Amino acid sequence: MIERPPSRTAEERRSIVRAARTVLAREGWSRCTREATAAEAGTSPDTVEQHFPDQEELLLSVLLDSSASVAAALAAVAESHLEEITDLEQGLAALGRAWLAPLEAFREHFAIVRHVSAEVTRLPIEAVEKWQATGPRQARRELALRLRRVAARGLLDIADADQAAERFILLVPSGVVQRSFLGALPLAKAESDALIADGVADFIRLYRP
């Protein structure tokens, strides 16, 4: 048996992963079959199976990789906007606006999330748990870390930083995220800014020293 050159094999594998991501974003979890992945990659289902014997494991790896990328981007957002905050209201509003940037920068990811959210009862519970831990919960932990530093400087009165991070996300960016259907139908800037401003005001009322 003639072995394939490693470079070709690696590129073939990357092509399959890219195809799975595209189909997952377009069709959702249950319709991202081995056959659909192969058609998108321009290869055969047998080739997909050779690289990824378990299709669900392939989909999960795509989802986790995508979620980790977004969580890392949000960690960078939190760091850059809270590192040297001076005006609390302006700083938190800027953070809220920047927190929404991944909706545009990672459009394929949020298309996947819309599908996965609609199909969540069909997904293995372990897959849902890993997704939440790698994506949303990791982003919240990173935000909590930065909020602790802001509180240490006396700008906020926070006893539970994890809870404060969750409340910030719910009060500030989540209104825009929900009304825009995770970026699928972007809001006018004035509406988005108003929602963020209202959320920031509520957050500050909760955690003002």
Side-chain angles (χ1 to χ4, degrees):
M1 179 178 177
I2 300 175
E3 294 186 3
R4 294 180 226 177
S7 59
R8 180 182 170 188
T9 300
E11 178 52 38
E12 196 172 64
R13 187 180 180 88
R14 286 192 292 269
S15 176
I16 290 169
V17 171
R18 287 194 298 267
R21 182 179 290 109
T22 298
V23 178
L24 188 55
R26 186 177 66 228
E27 304 289 348
W29 186 278
S30 60
R31 297 180 67 181
C32 188
T33 61
R34 181 172 292 123
E35 291 72 19
T37 301
E40 182 68 29
T43 189
S44 70
D46 287 344
T47 300
V48 174
E49 186 174 13
Q50 286 170 15
H51 287 282
F52 299 98
D54 188 326
Q55 180 71 3
E56 282 199 347
E57 284 298 320
L58 169 59
L59 301 187
L60 180 58
S61 69
V62 167
L63 176 60
L64 296 185
D65 181 67
S66 185
S67 297
S69 295
V70 174
L74 290 173
V77 164
E79 182 70 21
S80 64
H81 285 79
L82 294 180
E83 185 177 12
E84 296 183 6
I85 189 170
T86 52
D87 184 295
L88 187 61
E89 185 174 356
Q90 289 183 9
L92 292 178
L95 171 62
R97 290 190 294 271
W99 198 265
L100 298 171
L103 291 177
E104 178 63 31
F106 297 89
R107 293 181 67 85
E108 193 172 54
H109 168 76
F110 288 101
I112 291 172
V113 170
R114 286 192 293 272
H115 280 296
V116 169
S117 298
E119 299 180 88
V120 69
T121 56
R122 302 178 190 175
L123 272 63
I125 189 64
E126 297 84 0
V128 175
E129 175 60 27
K130 289 179 180 178
W131 162 40
Q132 291 295 300
T134 303
R137 286 206 292 272
Q138 177 61 23
R140 191 169 67 236
R141 284 192 292 270
E142 295 289 350
L143 177 58
L145 174 64
R146 276 74 182 185
L147 287 175
R148 285 190 191 97
R149 296 175 186 169
V150 176
R153 294 167 52 200
L155 294 173
L156 293 170
D157 183 8
I158 293 176
D160 185 334
D162 291 326
Q163 183 185 72
E166 183 173 19
R167 285 179 174 173
F168 178 86
I169 293 169
L170 288 172
L171 289 171
V172 183
S174 282
V176 178
V177 171
Q178 295 303 318
R179 289 198 192 185
S180 69
F181 296 92
L182 284 85
L185 301 173
L187 304 184
K189 184 177 183 301
E191 183 178 1
S192 178
D193 286 348
L195 287 169
I196 289 170
D198 287 345
V200 167
D202 289 340
F203 184 80
I204 291 176
R205 276 194 288 271
L206 282 172
Y207 294 105
R208 187 187 299 278

